[in-house]
């Protein structure tokens, strides 16, 4: 319970082993639902927008992300689609709010972190004109800057 007495978090146990967790918004609506097996994240876990729409669906196996992890825009359209194997990203497909592909790859560094509304990436940089992720190194950035300068003159 929070300070005002509202329920904001529930953990369920069977024989002393966690089987699920639920987290709620101040409004009382579900925020996150996690499934556990033998005390580890296992199965489908979900996250919701406060308005009730699904925000994220993740699949876990023995505490690690496995198979699909899907992110959704508020309108229900798919925003990101990641495939995991034993906690490592093996495929990613990221779309903009219009359904256009921003990034798609079958070979991904496991540390790649993508943030929707930001231009900076953990292991790369996004060219906002093309939506392409490029390596973070001066040579690549210089090529993008030069191309953008030439495009702006046209």
């Amino acid at each position: 319970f929070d300070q005002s007495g509202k329920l904001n978090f529930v953990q369920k146990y069977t024989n002393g082993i966690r089987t699920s967790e639920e987290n709620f918004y101040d409004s009382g609506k579900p925020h996150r639902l996690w499934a556990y097996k033998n005390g580890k994240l296992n199965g489908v876990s979900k996250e919701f927008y406060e308005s009730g729409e699904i925000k994220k669906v993740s699949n876990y196996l023995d505490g690690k992300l496995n198979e699909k992890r899907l992110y959704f825009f508020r309108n229900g359209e798919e925003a990101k689609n990641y495939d995991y194997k034993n906690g490592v990203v093996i495929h990613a497909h990221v779309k903009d709010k219009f359904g256009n592909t921003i990034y798609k790859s079958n070979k991904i560094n496991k540390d790649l972190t993508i943030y929707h509304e930001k231009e900076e990436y953990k292991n790369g940089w996004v060219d906002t004109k093309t939506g392409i992720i490029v390596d973070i190194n001066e040579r690549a950035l210089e090529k993008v800057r030069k191309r953008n300068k030439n495009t702006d003159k046209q």
Side-chain angles (χ1 to χ4, degrees):
F1 295 93
D2 65 14
Q3 293 176 348
S4 66
K6 291 182 183 175
L7 182 67
N8 64 0
F9 193 78
V10 174
Q11 290 183 332
K12 295 180 183 176
Y13 291 82
T14 300
N15 298 324
I17 298 173
R18 183 172 33 193
T19 57
S20 70
E21 288 184 31
E22 297 177 56
N23 171 281
F24 302 92
Y25 286 103
D26 289 340
S27 65
K29 293 183 178 182
H31 184 202
R32 295 185 185 111
L33 306 172
W34 296 281
Y36 287 81
K37 184 176 180 182
N38 298 323
K40 294 180 180 180
L41 282 167
N42 207 71
V44 177
S45 295
K46 297 179 180 180
E47 185 174 335
F48 302 89
Y49 290 103
E50 190 166 7
S51 52
E53 295 91 0
I54 195 80
K55 183 176 186 178
K56 179 170 55 175
V57 177
S58 303
N59 290 284
Y60 289 90
L61 182 62
D62 294 326
K64 295 179 181 179
L65 283 164
N66 211 45
E67 297 179 4
K68 295 281 184 199
R69 177 178 245 189
L70 304 170
Y71 293 79
F72 298 92
F73 292 110
R74 289 181 182 270
N75 66 4
E77 294 293 322
E78 187 179 286
K80 302 177 194 176
N81 178 335
Y82 295 104
D83 286 314
Y84 283 84
K85 187 172 183 178
N86 297 319
V88 176
V89 179
I90 57 173
H91 171 79
H93 188 182
V94 181
K95 301 175 185 177
D96 66 17
K97 62 185 177 182
F98 304 108
N100 301 310
T101 296
I102 294 173
Y103 180 75
K104 189 172 184 177
S105 176
N106 289 326
K107 294 181 180 180
I108 299 181
N109 183 316
K110 67 179 180 177
D111 295 325
L112 179 68
T113 305
I114 298 175
Y115 298 97
H116 265 307
E117 303 298 328
K118 297 184 180 180
E119 294 176 14
E120 291 181 18
Y121 288 64
K122 188 172 181 182
N123 288 329
W125 179 82
V126 146
D127 174 5
T128 54
K129 292 197 182 238
T130 64
I132 296 171
I133 298 175
V134 295
D135 289 334
I136 246 181
N137 64 51
E138 278 308 307
R139 185 185 225 169
L141 289 175
E142 191 54 41
K143 284 181 181 179
V144 171
R145 286 186 194 115
K146 187 176 181 181
R147 189 189 67 233
N148 288 348
K149 248 185 190 179
N150 293 335
T151 305
D152 288 341
K153 290 178 185 179
Q154 295 175 358

